[in-house]
Amino acid sequence: MMPQEEIDFIPHTPSVLKQIFIRRGITPNKRFGQNFLIDQNILLSIPDIAGLTENDIVLEIGTGTGGLTRLLAARSRQVFTIEIDRKLFELSSDILKLYNNVIPINADILETKHELNPRITSLILNWLREHKQAAIKVVSNLPYNISTPVVINLLESDLPIDVMALMLQQEITERMTALPSTREYGILSVIIQLFSDVEIVKTLPPEVFWPRPEVHSAIVKISIRKEKYIGRITDYPFFKKVINAIFTSRRKTLVNSLGSFSVPGITREHLKQILKEMQLDERIRGEVLNLDQLISLSESIGKLKKHLS
Ligand code: SAM
């Protein structure tokens, strides 16, 4: 257990964090993206960005030293907070013992690059069921090295998320909000925009973290809108295969990039015919297509595939 004076010491400054870390033999670990938010004004603004109310259930990924967790606990009904690093989990658990609405979990949020840790999702889904709650918010200063798979897996999971307020590497937030025909537009833009409305709320310089990261960061608000596009996709894994083929060879024409993605029986002539029906030039590149067009394209190829099989 931590002495009360040590708990009172936090909100953190780099010097306080350094003292606590030395005492506990902790060194910030780059591999786990351990850059702690030390700007109190920004910390305080995050629950507002997420629109937290006292009825909200929150999932935080990356408890760290618990600085954000404590604010989330004070502004919501229940917080689930996940930390992979055992020493940081022990440190933050000591601090968070003072809050009866926080469940700290020492685990990796990811089972694999393509799947959230099922023990965590089951725990949250069971809790929501038992407490008759229909939605959660995700609020996190995400470890940058795993932010893309975490966000995609959260969107594709069964968790009933309505809003995410996330601190991410700025470059990733620009890819999330990118429009067709731009350099940043790619698989991440398509998937995020398929599931949600996404907005960059503010950008953050490296100085607001300790240790300072090498990159700029930004806070995004992701408001889930599954009704917008997802219902129109018959076979989501197939849609993902189509966009993967398009964006992994984005400089090729659509017909060439989809030619390498071999759907048995589908020829270049079929693809040209589909593009013609969509009133698109056969030399078009996939990176210029908006979400509606990508869905129509994948639905047409899917129908033809079914017809030919
Ligand atoms: N929430 C704290 C803050 O705002 O200062 C810490 C944020 S820090 C950017 C990211 C945290 O995520 C670190 O504490 C790191 O150990 C933890 N982390 C890294 N990879 C993780 C994973 N796969 N699962 C759970 N936590 C992870």
Side-chain angles (χ1 to χ4, degrees):
M1 180 69 185
M2 216 173 201
Q4 185 60 42
E5 321 81 76
E6 200 168 85
I7 294 169
D8 291 341
F9 242 171
I10 304 170
H12 333 134
T13 61
S15 61
V16 170
L17 285 181
K18 275 180 205 164
Q19 272 185 43
I20 297 175
F21 279 18
I22 289 170
R23 212 171 306 149
R24 290 192 170 232
I26 301 173
T27 316
N29 187 337
K30 241 184 169 178
R31 186 164 67 93
F32 288 150
Q34 289 174 356
N35 303 97
F36 306 99
L37 187 56
I38 50 163
D39 185 305
Q40 198 61 19
N41 289 329
I42 295 170
L43 271 169
L44 286 167
S45 72
I46 295 170
D48 290 329
I49 293 170
L52 282 194
T53 70
E54 60 195 14
N55 297 322
D56 280 321
I57 318 301
V58 179
L59 166 62
E60 182 193 31
I61 296 152
T63 323
T65 49
L68 177 58
T69 325
R70 293 190 302 153
L71 294 174
L72 300 176
R75 291 279 302 271
S76 65
R77 173 171 171 191
Q78 182 69 42
V79 179
F80 294 88
T81 182
I82 322 295
E83 175 54 57
I84 196 170
D85 184 315
R86 171 149 284 278
K87 283 188 176 172
L88 282 181
F89 167 76
E90 284 166 0
L91 165 67
S92 54
S93 295
D94 277 353
I95 298 166
L96 297 168
K97 270 182 195 142
L98 297 178
Y99 296 82
N100 61 9
N101 61 341
V102 178
I103 301 182
I105 300 162
N106 182 207
D108 188 337
I109 185 64
L110 292 175
E111 177 79 355
T112 69
K113 210 174 151 199
H114 303 289
E115 196 194 350
L116 294 179
N117 184 328
R119 290 178 301 285
I120 297 171
T121 48
S122 310
L123 180 92
I124 297 175
L125 286 169
N126 287 338
W127 192 97
L128 292 174
R129 213 170 296 123
E130 268 168 36
H131 294 81
K132 299 191 176 22
Q133 293 300 305
I136 61 162
K137 291 189 160 78
V138 180
V139 187
S140 296
N141 173 12
L142 278 182
Y144 291 171
N145 50 334
I146 55 161
S147 58
T148 299
V150 167
V151 174
I152 292 179
N153 289 326
L154 284 168
L155 290 171
E156 294 178 350
S157 77
D158 295 337
L159 291 174
I161 301 167
D162 59 9
V163 168
M164 300 200 235
L166 305 175
M167 243 166 291
L168 299 163
Q169 199 174 323
Q170 188 175 356
E171 187 219 313
I172 303 274
T173 65
E174 283 162 1
R175 282 166 44 202
M176 286 179 164
T177 50
L179 296 175
S181 302
T182 61
R183 198 168 47 94
E184 292 78 15
Y185 187 61
I187 296 170
L188 182 63
S189 337
V190 172
I191 295 184
I192 300 284
Q193 295 173 32
L194 206 58
F195 283 89
S196 67
D197 290 338
V198 52
E199 170 201 358
I200 299 178
V201 182
K202 61 170 110 173
T203 53
L204 308 173
E207 299 81 73
V208 303
F209 299 97
W210 176 81
R212 285 186 190 182
E214 280 151 20
V215 292
H216 277 66
S217 306
I219 303 178
V220 281
K221 181 170 181 180
I222 300 175
S223 308
I224 310 302
R225 304 263 180 269
K226 286 196 181 171
E227 70 287 354
K228 239 170 63 177
Y229 294 107
I230 286 295
R232 288 169 43 201
I233 300 178
T234 314
D235 181 347
Y236 180 71
F238 182 74
F239 173 82
K240 276 185 82 177
K241 277 190 190 161
V242 172
I243 59 165
N244 260 310
I246 291 176
F247 288 102
T248 46
S249 50
R250 58 188 300 146
R251 306 308 298 163
K252 290 187 182 170
T253 65
L254 195 78
V255 171
N256 281 340
S257 57
L258 288 177
S260 55
F261 153 75
S262 52
V263 182
I266 295 189
T267 63
R268 292 168 63 87
E269 292 317 308
H270 285 130
L271 294 171
K272 284 183 189 171
Q273 182 58 31
I274 288 173
L275 290 180
K276 197 169 163 197
E277 281 160 20
M278 290 174 67
Q279 295 174 350
L280 294 172
D281 190 308
E282 66 174 52
R283 287 158 305 173
I284 204 167
R285 286 194 190 136
E287 64 185 5
V288 308
L289 299 189
N290 62 29
L291 261 58
D292 279 311
Q293 292 168 318
L294 288 169
I295 294 172
S296 300
L297 175 70
S298 132
E299 289 296 302
S300 300
I301 305 174
K303 260 191 216 140
L304 187 59
K305 179 175 139 237
K306 215 167 164 193
H307 177 74
L308 294 173
S309 63

